Amino acid sequence: MKGKPVVEPVYMTATYKFDRSDDLIDVVQNRSGYIYSRWDNPSVRAVESELADLEGYAFALGFGSGMAAITTAIMANIKAGDRVVATQEVYGGTYELLNDVLPTFNVDTALINCYDLDRLFAEIDKGLTLLYLETPTNPLLRVVDIKPLADAAHAKGAIVLLDATFASPVNQHPVDLGVDVVIHSATKYLGGHHDVTAGFICADDPWFKKIWNLRKVLGGVMDPMSAFMTLRGMRTLELRIQKHNENAMQVARFLEAQVKIKSVHYPGLASHPDHEIAVRQMSGFGGMLSFEVDGDFDQTKTFMDCLKKIKLATSLGGVTSLANQPITNTHVALSPENRAKAGVSESLVRLSVGIENVEVLIQDLEQALEVV
Ligand SMILES: Cc1ncc(COP(=O)(O)O)c(C=O)c1O
């Protein structure tokens, strides 16, 4: 064919035909082509290689969701009798996997507050198979200092996994910080438009081969249409992230100046407890922030209901700004005691700042604050 498509087509095929048995055997043995789309698919491989290049790892693997990427990456690297150390402020689904599911398979898990460095290092020192980190965290945007923790875990022979969803590949470069496996929920910034559910891992060998093999077994692979949509989203990733960073910084500064706002959590603010780590570790502070309205649960709910441009919705990382009250959804399962420990108060609002005109967002927040 003379002339090839500029845009990678969507290969909507479950299986692949061969002219010769030897070719089929070669694909099965050497992953030199395609045999079955639960193993590999050209549309999925196209987005995988784009992300691997961006993150600086030899390989990436696409999954049907961020949680499929997380469960597969963790399970590929542990067995009964192993020990996992993780920061406690991980995504809710990850927390359930580590706290509720893995112990039933005889895997010991220690979940430690990300700011309690003494305890984190002490737990690593006891020995571990896998260190699991997530930064910035949800919903208080704590920033975990990756390199020293990764170094300590490596000294014990462990593998280091990082959920880098909130930072995106633009604001943070985990390969330089000693991370073995980077995980993204592509449902967020990589897809970027609130219309795809997908996930990725990025890794070098030998981690990659183990995870690829378990993806094949567990079956949580990315579908070709999601791969196409995610690759399309990634074409504007850098531009979008720049705008998310700028908008979030302006919104954070606006909120910090309001008398009806008790506190603002944004790593770009000098008032943030991890600002110095963020300056050192991140090239941009991201589009996520949270704040406490100076009021009770009902007043905060009224504030939320008065937002007009900013949508009341869970999820994050897309072009449209979304806000939620963590206590009503993402952190609803936590006991009041654990909620207090996690810093999730009844007046806390999480905001995923989109790429709209920032003045429109600020006006929206301003008019909703008037009712509090
Ligand atoms: C940081 C983080 N990791 C992982 C996930 C799970 O991703 P998914 O919903 O694509 O399974 C989420 C979802 O909100 C998340 O915020």
Side-chain angles (χ1 to χ4, degrees), residues 64-68 70 91 94 132 134 136 138 163 165-166 184-188 197-199 315-316 350:
S65 68
M67 276 315 297
I70 291 166
Y91 172 65
T94 312
Y132 189 93
E134 180 178 319
N138 176 32
D163 182 338
T165 299
F166 270 40
H184 287 283
S185 165
T187 315
K188 320 301 181 195
T197 304
S315 201
L316 61 110
R350 187 186 81 175

